[in-house]
Amino acid sequence: MAAITGNLVVGQSGGPTAVINQSLVGVVQEALKHGSIQSILGARNGVEGVLREDFIDLRKQSAQTLEDVAATASAGLGSCRFKPKEEDCKKIFEIFTRHNVRYFFYIGGNDSALSAGIINKIAQEQKYDLCVFHCPKTIDNDLLVTDHCPGFGSAAKYVAQAFMGHDLDNRALPGIKIDVVMGRNAGWLTAASALARVNPGDGPHVICLPERSYTVAEFCRKIEDVYTKNKRALVAVSEGLCDKDGNVWLQSDLVRRELKELGMEALINWMDATGRIEDSAGGAKLDAFGHAQLSGSGALADLLASILKIYMFQKTGKKPRLRADTLGYAQRSFAGCVSEVDAREARASGAAAVREAVNGAMSGSICFRRTGSGGYNCETFRAALEDVSGVNFPKGVKQYRPMEDRLITTDKFDVTPEFVEWARPLLGALPVKGILTP
Amino acid sequence: MAAITGNLVVGQSGGPTAVINQSLVGVVQEALKHGSIQSILGARNGVEGVLREDFIDLRKQSAQTLEDVAATASAGLGSCRFKPKEEDCKKIFEIFTRHNVRYFFYIGGNDSALSAGIINKIAQEQKYDLCVFHCPKTIDNDLLVTDHCPGFGSAAKYVAQAFMGHDLDNRALPGIKIDVVMGRNAGWLTAASALARVNPGDGPHVICLPERSYTVAEFCRKIEDVYTKNKRALVAVSEGLCDKDGNVWLQSDLVRRELKELGMEALINWMDATGRIEDSAGGAKLDAFGHAQLSGSGALADLLASILKIYMFQKTGKKPRLRADTLGYAQRSFAGCVSEVDAREARASGAAAVREAVNGAMSGSICFRRTGSGGYNCETFRAALEDVSGVNFPKGVKQYRPMEDRLITTDKFDVTPEFVEWARPLLGALPVKGILTP
């Protein structure tokens, strides 16, 4: 099929990453090679910009600007957390028709794949020839079909380097240190903390993932064990840490019940007081996709540190050095911590999407699969948009990919060597971790 | 005066930095050149290791190990927060005499300078020939006499890169973002967030320093103004944010009174609940030097975000996107974010201390001063230990160096261009921050 002639719109959506601009520049650089593509328009703030008809002319950017933007963290076009409704999609097509847009590339995570899926579905229904491609990006690495997602490698590198530092810090001034890592549903990024281990005894010594559930008692006992043995403990905890009903700890009745049994009423009062703040500020915060806000607050880390402080004091009458950090937005946007593999693949995925489209494919999501043996090799392939977006999935089928059982140890407090082997090439080179000979 | 022949002990103390091991390796490499220095011993965990007679033989380390350790964040010998008492110092001299230790190098911040000062004073009283040198290190940059401290440049680079990323993130998904930065008494590190500004409109748009005091009302109004004008606001706040009585906000009665007046009782309840957690865990936490623990908790950032959430909701009935991060321990120990200038100077300060000692100086603190004009040039010099440690200072004279008035804007919500010019060379190269042409 001959390539359709018309204009191109590219947008970025969802939480930024260190390499989402690499994918954008990959789209633009490839589009510039093809005569069937006329205007190359960047929609500001994703579909919100389409609806506002707020476009940047990407043909006007110099080659140097494009390279600078590619090397810059976060979304150069701006991003959004907007889920288009039926009437929004109608307006989008009106705008696309008026501008003769025939190529739409949406760089984003699973929510963005869903948006692209909805737009594609309506395009088909309206028999409007529109190539709709999703270029995966997410630090969470929880997209379906693909081996891994652009954005994950750099975020994992940041997490590994943060844990290398926190482990060295915890060696120098021993105590219990808890770090809360991003990842609502899937533990890939929390698991990447394991890549910080280089020398014997290195932390993290405990890793808690959202794929498993934890009671307060077993969480405390595990850390107490490690601390008793090593005189220090570095703990990686996913922000999605949940109880056996699947509720995150800060909103868990089971956790409250346990805290009561453990004589930690002060913490229940604190949790209640935390909840009442939201009421004063206009009620609980859910994003446009109905997800609870877990990032952008240190509450979970502070809760965990407080639980352990009280627990250790109850047990020993002593107060070990206890600190907690929430790694925060630096995980997705810290400037200057990019995996070279991730940057290259993100660029390649944008280019691959354009090539697929001009070669006649009407829709898809650009995924990665490993090829060959002996070292790390990966290639892109086009998956059906529906398989990634989950737009047609029956109710109850997950639209994201959790870590597989074989990647988590049976005691649920660590990852397996298989995970480390899988993840290592995605992070690229890590800093040296020298130690003195005793 | 001929160099004293004997053994050398080197230790590291206080909070680690990205380059404290550079200073250690500087000491060792220089010591290896001088025949008057016999054993080169590393005390594990600073003076605690001296008291335990827990030493590492640093002559045994290979050249490669030393280079690897130098390139590694945090304190390779381990650190401590221990302030030696009279009887500890007596024991230290007993141990030093027994081991014929004649050179003692202590790499640390102002608390460590004080420890070195006490040991030096007792050595003089006991007429024991001991060269005592302090090698400054602190991310806080708050030591007296020196132009700047090894450790600051790398921490400032981390802060600047974090803010570059958070600014790009805040551009992509606009809202109010608050970042809490380390620095108990001095705002140098918080001020370094200004180095993240590259393009017009870049944040941080508001910088709050511990050298000034702030009311809740003026803090909220300032951020509201910025947000109204720019539709986004990135805010840098020192963990030492205080009221006009000098009390940090989390422990401030004035802040509570204001919160009450502003109808934010939910926050007072939350502050009370937070305080009661400490009681359950054995009481309020002060370190060995009597300082309140400000780091290792997200409480201040969460308080500020909550204040603004309620304030903006009261004012507008809307809920802007509001997030807060506490930059945390990554500021001092993140692996792989080192200023090359800082690394070089940290190494040089260790070497300079040894040279001063073998050349006959009995004590000192190695400081930096800028030389010449046209570009950045710095040299080391020996300051009197007493002038840095403050060991003989009259009561009430500060033992640390706050930011000078000329470095802070008169509206107290920003730093001056003079600060930026002073700081820029210390951070070394920063990542590119490319933006698309509209």
Side-chain angles (χ1 to χ4, degrees), chain A residues 126-427:
Chain A
Q126 301 201 357
K127 297 197 194 312
Y128 179 87
D129 278 344
L130 178 68
C131 297
V132 178
F133 276 78
H134 169 241
C135 296
K137 104 36 257 186
T138 169
I139 63 166
D140 295 336
N141 199 50
D142 59 350
L143 294 193
L144 295 169
V145 186
T146 190
D147 174 78
H148 62 278
C149 303
F152 171 68
S154 297
K157 182 183 168 75
Y158 179 88
V159 168
Q161 292 186 197
F163 271 85
M164 286 176 89
H166 291 180
D167 181 54
L168 290 159
D169 202 296
N170 184 254
R171 257 184 203 276
L173 289 169
I176 298 172
K177 175 73 195 301
I178 297 165
D179 285 331
V180 170
V181 183
M182 279 181 167
R184 195 164 40 208
N185 299 313
W188 301 98
L189 198 54
T190 306
S193 62
L195 278 295
R197 298 173 187 150
V198 178
N199 299 303
D202 277 0
H205 308 98
V206 178
I207 300 177
C208 297
L209 302 161
E211 283 82 358
R212 297 289 181 267
S213 68
Y214 302 87
T215 66
V216 176
E218 64 191 0
F219 177 78
C220 290
R221 265 200 310 271
K222 175 67 185 175
I223 295 170
E224 184 192 8
D225 279 356
V226 170
Y227 182 71
T228 306
K229 233 172 271 169
N230 303 342
K231 311 280 175 257
R232 70 185 189 96
L234 179 64
V235 183
V237 178
S238 165
E239 66 180 4
L241 181 75
C242 63
D243 67 20
K244 71 179 167 52
D245 291 345
N247 295 314
V248 291
W249 272 34
L250 279 171
Q251 291 160 16
S252 158
D253 288 332
L254 293 178
V255 165
R256 279 160 192 265
R257 201 180 307 161
E258 264 200 284
L259 291 177
K260 191 151 188 233
E261 285 163 13
L262 291 165
M264 299 187 186
E265 283 83 1
L267 287 176
I268 301 174
N269 293 338
W270 178 83
M271 286 168 79
D272 290 343
T274 303
R276 280 194 298 267
I277 294 172
E278 286 300 333
D279 297 339
S280 306
K285 177 95 183 163
L286 295 180
D287 72 15
F289 294 83
H291 310 306
Q293 184 206 316
L294 299 181
S295 301
S297 153
L300 176 60
D302 284 352
L303 174 68
L304 299 178
S306 298
I307 288 173
L308 280 163
K309 254 186 208 171
I310 302 175
Y311 179 86
M312 295 302 285
F313 186 69
Q314 285 176 347
K315 280 268 187 164
T316 65
K318 290 184 192 157
K319 298 185 284 174
R321 185 183 165 78
L322 235 160
R323 300 287 187 274
D325 273 332
T326 304
L327 298 198
Y329 286 90
Q331 294 167 89
R332 71 185 197 193
S333 61
F334 188 76
C337 185
V338 176
S339 153
E340 60 273 27
V341 176
D342 191 28
R344 194 174 61 231
E345 291 183 347
R347 178 93 62 121
S349 75
V354 175
R355 274 200 306 274
E356 291 281 355
V358 294
N359 286 337
M362 290 306 290
S363 73
S365 176
I366 302 302
C367 294
F368 288 87
R369 65 182 157 219
R370 304 203 185 200
T371 57
S373 56
Y376 174 76
N377 288 295
C378 234
E379 65 180 16
T380 57
F381 70 100
R382 178 172 65 90
L385 191 50
E386 296 72 24
D387 292 347
V388 176
S389 70
V391 68
N392 294 326
F393 282 11
K395 227 182 158 106
V397 174
K398 284 179 189 153
Q399 195 226 326
Y400 65 91
R401 176 186 168 208
M403 286 178 69
E404 290 87 10
D405 289 344
R406 65 191 158 80
L407 304 179
I408 304 171
T409 55
T410 47
D411 81 343
K412 77 182 175 185
F413 284 107
D414 207 341
V415 295
T416 60
E418 191 176 348
F419 169 79
V420 174
E421 201 184 330
W422 172 86
R424 196 181 300 283
L426 307 179
L427 279 68

Side-chain angles (χ1 to χ4, degrees), chain B residues 56-133:
Chain B
I56 289 183
D57 183 352
L58 294 171
R59 282 195 180 270
K60 261 177 51 182
Q61 314 300 316
S62 72
Q64 185 60 52
T65 296
L66 288 176
E67 285 302 336
D68 286 350
V69 168
T72 300
S74 187
L77 287 171
S79 190
C80 69
R81 292 276 189 199
F82 177 77
K83 182 179 181 170
K85 296 194 200 92
E86 183 79 25
E87 63 265 31
D88 299 319
C89 290
K90 280 189 188 143
K91 204 175 161 202
I92 287 172
F93 288 108
E94 197 191 298
I95 292 162
F96 278 0
T97 314
R98 185 146 31 87
H99 289 277
N100 192 34
V101 173
R102 297 293 174 171
Y103 297 91
F104 178 51
F105 298 92
Y106 211 27
I107 311 165
N110 27 28
D111 291 337
S112 313
L114 193 57
S115 299
I118 295 169
I119 291 170
N120 184 51
K121 213 173 160 186
I122 302 199
Q124 289 174 337
E125 286 163 9
Q126 302 201 356
K127 300 196 191 312
Y128 179 88
D129 278 344
L130 178 68
C131 297
V132 178
F133 276 78

Side-chain angles (χ1 to χ4, degrees), chain B residues 304-368:
Chain B
L304 300 178
S306 297
I307 288 174
L308 281 163
K309 253 186 210 173
I310 301 175
Y311 179 86
M312 295 302 286
F313 185 69
Q314 284 175 348
K315 280 267 185 165
T316 65
K318 288 182 193 159
K319 299 185 284 174
R321 183 182 167 78
L322 235 159
R323 301 287 188 272
D325 272 332
T326 303
L327 298 198
Y329 286 89
Q331 293 166 92
R332 72 184 196 192
S333 61
F334 187 76
C337 185
V338 175
S339 153
E340 59 273 28
V341 177
D342 191 28
R344 195 173 61 229
E345 291 183 346
R347 179 92 63 122
S349 74
V354 175
R355 274 199 306 275
E356 291 281 356
V358 295
N359 287 337
M362 290 305 292
S363 73
S365 176
I366 301 302
C367 294
F368 287 87

